Amino acid sequence: MSYFYISAAMFIVGSSVVVGKIITGDFPLFLASGLRFLVATLLLFPMGVYKRTLFSLSRHDWYIISTMAFCGQILFTILLLLGLRYTSGINAGTLTSTTPFFMALIAFAFLGERFSAWQIFGLLLAVGSIILLSIDTFRMILQGGKISWLGNLLILAAVGSEAVFLLFAKKLEKQLSGLELTAILSLLGFLLCLPPAIIEAAGFNFQALGVADIIAVFYFGAIYTDLAYICWFRGITGVSAAVASASTAVMPLSAALLSTFLLQEDISALQLIALLMAVSAILALASAENERNICDDSARNQMQKR
């Protein structure tokens, strides 16, 4: 079941690119984010998780969770939705698959980690996928067509924010369940979005919304925010780090497939190659993690024999 949970979580994350295309066309950014977190918070509130956890966290964990909420749920969502206004769902889905690359970059720059040969190979594949995506952009510039470099840049910035979110999750002192952590992050996300959301709501015509808009907001709150995070944290406890990392390959595949079938976007040969390279990069990084775990286990066994 652990494999099902983490795969389902990554499929949901990939689908957010498609649903995000609907939201960006009809909602202001902060209002969309505020409604998303409101739905997520209200759905989890009856479960009593807030009463159990809000007053049991240390100052250190509050700092970590607040940073996670800002980077992973506010900054990531806003940059993603804004980027989708200027680039395609397929491009966005492929670029979001470079999350392991940004995590490794941040770990190298701020945590002092060094890369193995497999990790370097994975990073080169990830960079190669981004370069391939940029070829169409450069071609459009030369032809005087509509370019998507701004959208691609915003998506990459969103991925960087998500990478910070994932790294900070490892810094928590108190062990929280997926339900508890999701509930707190949803509440903080709503509070952070509330002031600008109120300003945007004052001049927004809610009567112009259709059924698809309401479903999209509910999906972002109930499925993308609550269900995906709960599935991820529940599944990750039963699999190795290598398997968890490899499962993120489901995310770009989900985004690309759903963008093709639901948004009627055409996928080019270069985009397909870039997508495959991004997935290969994730698998290479997972192999590097597995190799490091084996070395660590071997060294630990040697120490025990001594």
Side-chain angles (χ1 to χ4, degrees), residues 179-286:
L179 183 65
E180 292 171 332
L181 188 54
T182 301
I184 296 174
L185 288 171
S186 298
L187 177 60
L188 289 178
F190 173 69
L191 294 176
L192 289 171
C193 283
L194 186 58
I198 292 176
I199 296 175
E200 291 181 342
F204 184 72
N205 183 15
F206 285 93
Q207 295 181 348
L209 296 178
V211 176
D213 299 315
I214 297 174
I215 293 176
V217 170
F218 184 82
Y219 184 91
F220 247 58
I223 308 300
Y224 172 66
T225 303
D226 284 344
L227 184 59
Y229 275 33
I230 292 172
C231 283
W232 177 258
F233 287 118
R234 177 174 293 183
I236 201 172
T237 59
V239 299
S240 67
V243 173
S245 179
S247 71
T248 59
V250 177
M251 179 174 62
L253 291 175
S254 168
L257 291 176
L258 291 175
S259 293
T260 301
F261 290 108
L262 298 182
L263 299 181
Q264 303 299 315
E265 293 183 357
D266 295 327
I267 183 169
S268 67
L270 285 178
Q271 286 175 325
L272 182 59
I273 295 173
L275 178 63
L276 294 176
M277 288 181 66
V279 172
S280 299
I282 295 172
L283 296 177
L285 290 169

Side-chain angles (χ1 to χ4, degrees), residues 88-251:
S88 69
I90 292 175
N91 274 6
T94 305
L95 289 172
T96 56
S97 71
T98 61
T99 300
F101 165 73
F102 281 92
M103 289 183 65
L105 187 63
I106 292 172
F108 177 80
F110 298 103
L111 302 181
E113 292 190 10
R114 296 297 178 264
F115 302 140
S116 66
W118 271 112
Q119 286 174 318
I120 294 175
F121 177 66
L123 296 180
L124 291 176
L125 283 176
V127 172
S129 70
I130 298 175
I131 292 175
L132 280 182
L133 282 177
S134 300
I135 291 177
D136 282 340
T137 299
F138 294 141
R139 184 181 300 161
M140 290 179 189
I141 293 175
L142 295 176
Q143 295 175 352
K146 183 179 179 181
I147 62 175
S148 60
W149 64 268
L150 178 59
N152 290 344
L153 185 62
L154 289 169
I155 297 298
L156 286 175
V159 172
S161 300
E162 183 75 354
V164 172
F165 168 81
L166 294 174
L167 287 175
F168 265 73
K170 301 178 181 180
K171 300 289 186 179
L172 289 172
E173 295 176 346
K174 181 180 177 62
Q175 293 294 323
L176 297 173
S177 68
L179 183 65
E180 292 171 332
L181 188 54
T182 301
I184 296 174
L185 288 171
S186 298
L187 177 60
L188 289 178
F190 173 69
L191 294 176
L192 289 171
C193 283
L194 186 58
I198 292 176
I199 296 175
E200 291 181 342
F204 184 72
N205 183 15
F206 285 93
Q207 295 181 348
L209 296 178
V211 176
D213 299 315
I214 297 174
I215 293 176
V217 170
F218 184 82
Y219 184 91
F220 247 58
I223 308 300
Y224 172 66
T225 303
D226 284 344
L227 184 59
Y229 275 33
I230 292 172
C231 283
W232 177 258
F233 287 118
R234 177 174 293 183
I236 201 172
T237 59
V239 299
S240 67
V243 173
S245 179
S247 71
T248 59
V250 177
M251 179 174 62

Side-chain angles (χ1 to χ4, degrees), residues 16-72:
S16 68
V17 172
V18 178
V19 180
K21 294 289 284 187
I22 298 175
I23 291 179
T24 54
D26 298 331
F27 287 93
L29 292 178
F30 286 103
L31 180 59
S33 298
L35 291 173
R36 163 202 171 187
F37 290 122
L38 177 61
V39 171
T41 302
L42 291 177
L43 288 176
L44 294 178
F45 195 86
M47 300 181 185
V49 291
Y50 298 104
K51 184 178 181 180
R52 295 198 305 265
T53 58
L54 286 179
F55 301 103
S56 64
L57 297 175
S58 65
R59 180 178 299 180
H60 172 269
D61 282 353
W62 269 117
Y63 167 75
I64 296 300
I65 292 177
S66 298
T67 304
M68 290 171 61
F70 177 74
C71 291

